[in-house]
Structure formats: structure tokens, C-alpha cells
Amino acid sequence: MQTATPGRAAAEARYPELALYVDGQWTQGSGARREPVLNPATGQVLGEVPLAERADLDAAVAAAGRGFALWRDLPVERRTAILRRAADLLRAQANEIGRVMTLEEGKPHGEATGEVTRVATLLDWDAEEGRRAYGRIIPTGPGETLTVTRAPVGPVAAFTPWNFPAGGPMRKIAAALAAGCSIVIKASEETPGTANLLVRAFEEAGLPAGVLNLVFGVPSEVSEHLIAAPEIRFVAFTGSVPVGKHLAGLAAAAMKPTIMELGGHAPVIVCEDVDPAEAARSCARGKFVNAGQVCTSPSRFYVHESGYDTFVDVFAEAAAAVRVGDGLAPGVMMGPLANPRRRAAVDAMVTDARARGARVLTGGEVPDGPGYFYPPTVLVDVPEDAAILREEPFGPLAPILPFSDLDEAISRANALPYGLAAYGFTHRADLAARLARAFEAGILSINHVGGSVPQAPSGGVKESGHGREGGSEGLEGYLVTKRVAHRMQI
């Protein structure tokens, strides 16, 4: 691991004043509870985020009800124009929003700025998809029309984690608003500055009051209160499997539909026909994006025995060359983990693997100094009962295992209850088709480990959730289908 120290840019970076946004107004809330926001690269306090009380949540829900009635009936051309204006503002402010994101989440500034640019593109895409929420006319007889129409489902409650401070909230906001819904979103208390700046772009773009409401608070308090509110008609969540199951249960008790984008443990199968060195370099680039804190991050590498040694050597060399440090310092390739909980969990997985006989080729030790850094770590000889092969690592860990038979590799890849993403490397069309057919996952990539794109759906199967975000499918959950049978005479 190479390290870097903060430069002058880090000292000069500004962090916004934090607030809730309810019914078109910025507010510190009705209570006195606050939570510090820490810079994961230094451990220093950036600011304090206000935590919503029940009265604040009630105000947000009531505002969303009023905002929905207004936004739903606004001509789609006007809604689209506002959303497109917000996207333009986000592009113009990407560098500054990215800087705030790096301060509170840790990822390198280039990654953070790119994330803001991507969410602007996503907003553009969803805005246009909202213009295409088509229905259809079904042939009947004379004097009767039978039509199918689409309508926004109503006010939405959404909950997002800290690992993509712009991407997580925007996936919910863009789809809801494009479909004609209003939304109350609880973004992460660990990365509130980015969420504040996203909402300010919508405010500046002219979004009517009440359509978008932003709250922070004690997660269990907020989710239980919002999901139970009668005005809320739909629930969208991104996060861990256990929390997703809990929230889905709360929604089911109130008979409310959901989108659940939950955790993963993405397998990678490297077949014998590809160059193992090229595959290793590609996998290493994808593995250490956002310090591996990505639900679709490649996290179990099954490599054909013929190229295994080469793959391991090249991957370990690439991991050791990653420059780790403050995301605002020049040349940094990977920042810290986002919080001490995450670092402790990652280190515990490495300790467990070592105790069971695994070898650590690079990394694997908590470094001295401030911040929540953990080096890119490569492990081999990992037994199947090690925690790292069974539980989502959500960090810069790469266990690499050999295989001799493709059916065996596929079986091992599909053995877990996760089913979010999976990756394959092969130049043979028949093997590519075989992997695409056999992988039990909702997001499949062949010969690369790239991320999500606005024009295509993302989502999981099995315990990785249900529903899709992105693509034309991304608006489905936020729309209801109505059948209208109209007889011209009684």
C-alpha cells in the first residue's frame, strides 16, 4: 500500500451548514438532538446534523401529501423542465459537491465528482422516462373503450445508506419525481452534506414546496414512523439484507409496495480461455473503487487453475500499488473506509480467515495514524467456512480461489443467499451464454466489472432484494396501473 497525505485543498475545503428540508423550508428541526459528522480520513468533526423528531416527520409527511397533489397535476412538460434544470445545476456544481462528498465519505475526489455527474445523467434519463409512462387501448366492441393508464403511486418514503452519498438518494428522488410522486427521503446521517447540496439544486431549479423533503434522524425511529404514516404509499430502501427484511415487514404490515436494493457478495469466474493477467488488472481496478464499499463490488474470485498463479501475482501487485490516503490529496486512488464500524468488521474477517489457514499476500493490517484506513488486501488458501466467503465483506478484501471445473465454480458462486451482481471473464460465446444463464444474480457483466448505467435496470434476486432501479423498469414501482372500461351509454 502506498500512502498520501492531505494537501492544501483539504484544508481549504468548505463543509455546508446542515439542515432538514421540509415543505420548501430549511430547518434545524423541533428538537435539540444532533449527531456529529466525521471526516473518515482524519476523524475530525465536520459539523453536526439535526435529528428529526416526530413532529418534524409528521410535517414532512403532510408536506409530501400537499406536494403530491400539486406535482401530480403539473403538466409533464413542466415537471421535466424542472428536473432537467436541476440536472444542469448538479453538473455545474459537481466539483464542489464532490469535495463535500470526499470530506464526509472518504472516496477520492475524482470518484466523488464523477458520481455527481452520473446522478445528473440519471436525473435526465428518468425525467425523459416520465414522459413515456404510456398506457394502451385494448380493442373491444362499438360503444365501449377499454384503456390501461399509468398514474403515480403517491407520496414515497425512501431510505439510503452512506456509501454513495449522491447516487443512493438520487436513484430514489429521480424515479419518484419523474413518475409524478412526492418523496420524503431519509439520507444517511454520516453523509448529510452531499444530500443537502442535492436538494438545494432542486430548490434552485424551482421544484415546488413539499414535493421533495429531506430528513435525518435515528434510523429505526424514522423508518417506523414514516412507513406507518397513512399518507405514504410506497417504500424504497437501499442497504443491508437484515435491515431490508425488517423494513419490508413493516411495509407489508401496512400493505405498501416496496423496492428493496440489498446487499451482495458478487462472485467472479475467470475462465481458462482469457489472459489471466488482463483479467486480474481489470478485477483489481473494480475491486478497490470506493474502498470496496459497493454492494455490487466483485468480492469472491474463482480463477481457473491454469491461470491461477498468474492472476494472483498480478492482482496482488496491483493491490500493493494502490495509493491510499485522504481523498482530497493528489494522486490518491483509494480513501479510508467510511467509519470505524466498517474497518473493525473488515479486519475481523481477515483475522478469521487467517485463523482458518488463509494466507494474506498484501495488506491485512490496520495502519497506524488517524482516520479509518485499511489497505487493499489479497487472500489465498481461504477455506470455504471462512466468514469472508459467506458474509458480505463491503471493504477492500479480495479472496482468490482456484477451480478446475466450470460447473463446480458456478455451484460455488451460487451457493450463497445473495443474488445481486456476478461477473465472468471469457472470450468464448458459448461460455459467456452459459454464465449469463447460470448465474443467480440480477446484474451480470462479462469481461468487465463496470457499474450501473441509467439506461438499464439494476437490482437483485434471492435475499438481495426485489424491484429495479434504472432503465424504463426504474419507474415501475412508482406507478400504479389502472384499467378503465368506459361504455358510452348506460
Side-chain angles (χ1 to χ4, degrees), residues 269-271 273-274 424-433 435 446-447:
I269 294 180
V270 180
C271 297
D273 65 295
V274 299
F425 284 79
T426 180
H427 296 313
R428 286 177 47 179
D430 61 329
L431 293 185
L435 289 173
I446 305 296
N447 294 332

Side-chain angles (χ1 to χ4, degrees), residues 35-391:
E35 186 172 297
V37 181
L38 305 181
N39 182 335
T42 64
Q44 295 179 341
V45 176
L46 295 168
E48 289 190 332
V49 59
L51 304 183
E53 305 294 342
R54 292 175 65 93
D56 304 311
L57 300 177
D58 288 339
V61 169
R66 294 188 297 271
F68 173 60
L70 172 65
W71 187 245
R72 173 196 60 199
D73 295 335
L74 203 65
V76 67
E77 292 84 0
R78 291 181 60 188
R79 295 202 311 248
T80 301
I82 292 172
L83 300 184
R84 296 295 295 268
R85 193 176 306 131
D88 289 342
L89 290 169
L90 290 171
R91 288 191 187 90
Q93 300 164 12
N95 186 67
E96 178 58 27
I97 298 174
R99 188 176 299 279
V100 170
M101 189 189 307
T102 296
L103 282 172
E104 62 186 9
E105 197 271 348
K107 67 184 64 180
H109 184 229
E111 280 187 29
T113 301
E115 182 177 331
V116 179
T117 302
R118 288 194 301 276
V119 302
T121 302
L122 170 65
L123 182 54
D124 276 336
W125 172 270
D126 279 351
E128 290 302 314
E129 281 300 295
R131 297 161 63 96
R132 298 175 177 84
Y134 299 139
R136 66 184 188 274
I137 298 174
I138 301 171
T140 55
E144 181 177 0
T145 61
L146 184 58
T147 61
V148 176
T149 62
R150 312 301 305 281
V153 64
V156 173
F159 310 89
T160 60
W162 44 260
N163 59 326
F164 285 96
M170 187 58 79
R171 279 182 148 188
K172 278 50 172 175
I173 294 170
L177 269 55
C181 300
S182 60
I183 186 169
V184 180
I185 185 163
K186 192 202 83 65
S188 171
E189 293 72 31
E190 295 180 88
T191 56
T194 303
N196 268 231
L197 295 179
L198 292 182
V199 172
R200 288 188 185 279
F202 284 97
E203 180 185 40
E204 188 176 345
L207 189 71
V211 177
L212 171 58
N213 303 274
L214 172 67
V215 299
F216 306 98
V218 177
S220 60
E221 291 181 11
V222 176
S223 59
E224 291 173 9
H225 197 76
L226 291 183
I227 293 173
E231 297 91 339
I232 296 298
R233 300 294 182 86
F234 186 77
V235 177
F237 172 74
T238 296
S240 70
V241 172
V243 175
K245 288 181 177 180
H246 175 64
L247 298 191
L250 294 177
M255 199 53 67
K256 295 179 181 180
T258 63
I259 284 179
M260 292 284 153
E261 202 270 342
L262 308 180
H265 200 336
V268 181
I269 294 180
V270 180
C271 297
E272 61 182 314
D273 65 295
V274 299
D275 181 337
E278 289 185 3
R281 284 188 284 268
S282 177
C283 288
R285 284 193 298 271
K287 172 69 256 184
F288 303 117
V289 169
N290 201 23
Q293 300 168 121
V294 184
C295 53
T296 58
S297 179
S299 54
R300 295 176 286 147
F301 299 87
Y302 300 101
V303 183
H304 191 270
E305 59 188 8
S306 63
Y308 178 77
D309 291 340
T310 298
F311 184 96
V312 167
D313 290 344
V314 173
F315 196 109
E317 181 181 2
V322 172
R323 194 176 188 208
V324 179
D326 189 308
L328 292 178
V332 164
M333 302 162 67
M334 191 183 93
L337 296 178
N339 52 59
R341 307 184 310 278
R342 193 69 250 133
R343 185 167 72 171
V346 165
D347 192 52
M349 284 191 175
V350 175
T351 300
D352 172 80
R354 274 194 170 114
R356 297 174 188 274
R359 290 188 297 124
V360 176
L361 299 186
T362 186
E365 300 288 346
V366 175
D368 295 329
Y372 313 130
F373 295 98
Y374 201 87
T377 300
V378 178
L379 303 98
V380 296
D381 301 334
V382 183
E384 290 292 336
D385 63 347
I388 195 173
L389 294 182
R390 295 180 288 107
E391 303 169 14

Side-chain angles (χ1 to χ4, degrees), residues 390-481:
R390 295 180 288 107
E391 303 169 14
E392 182 177 21
F394 219 64
L397 308 181
I400 307 176
L401 305 98
F403 74 88
S404 58
D405 179 75
L406 184 56
D407 286 336
E408 167 211 350
I410 292 171
S411 177
R412 292 161 73 185
N414 290 336
L416 300 185
Y418 300 103
L420 187 58
Y423 305 92
F425 284 79
T426 180
H427 296 313
R428 286 177 47 179
D430 61 329
L431 293 185
R434 185 174 170 189
L435 289 173
R437 184 173 59 252
F439 272 138
E440 294 175 354
I443 305 168
L444 308 174
S445 301
I446 305 296
N447 294 332
H448 70 98
V449 290
S452 300
V453 293
Q455 64 269 31
S458 294
V461 299
K462 300 196 290 189
E463 291 193 4
S464 288
H466 55 255
R468 294 296 181 264
E469 295 183 318
S472 57
E473 294 86 352
L475 267 62
E476 287 294 324
Y478 299 87
L479 296 166
V480 293
T481 300

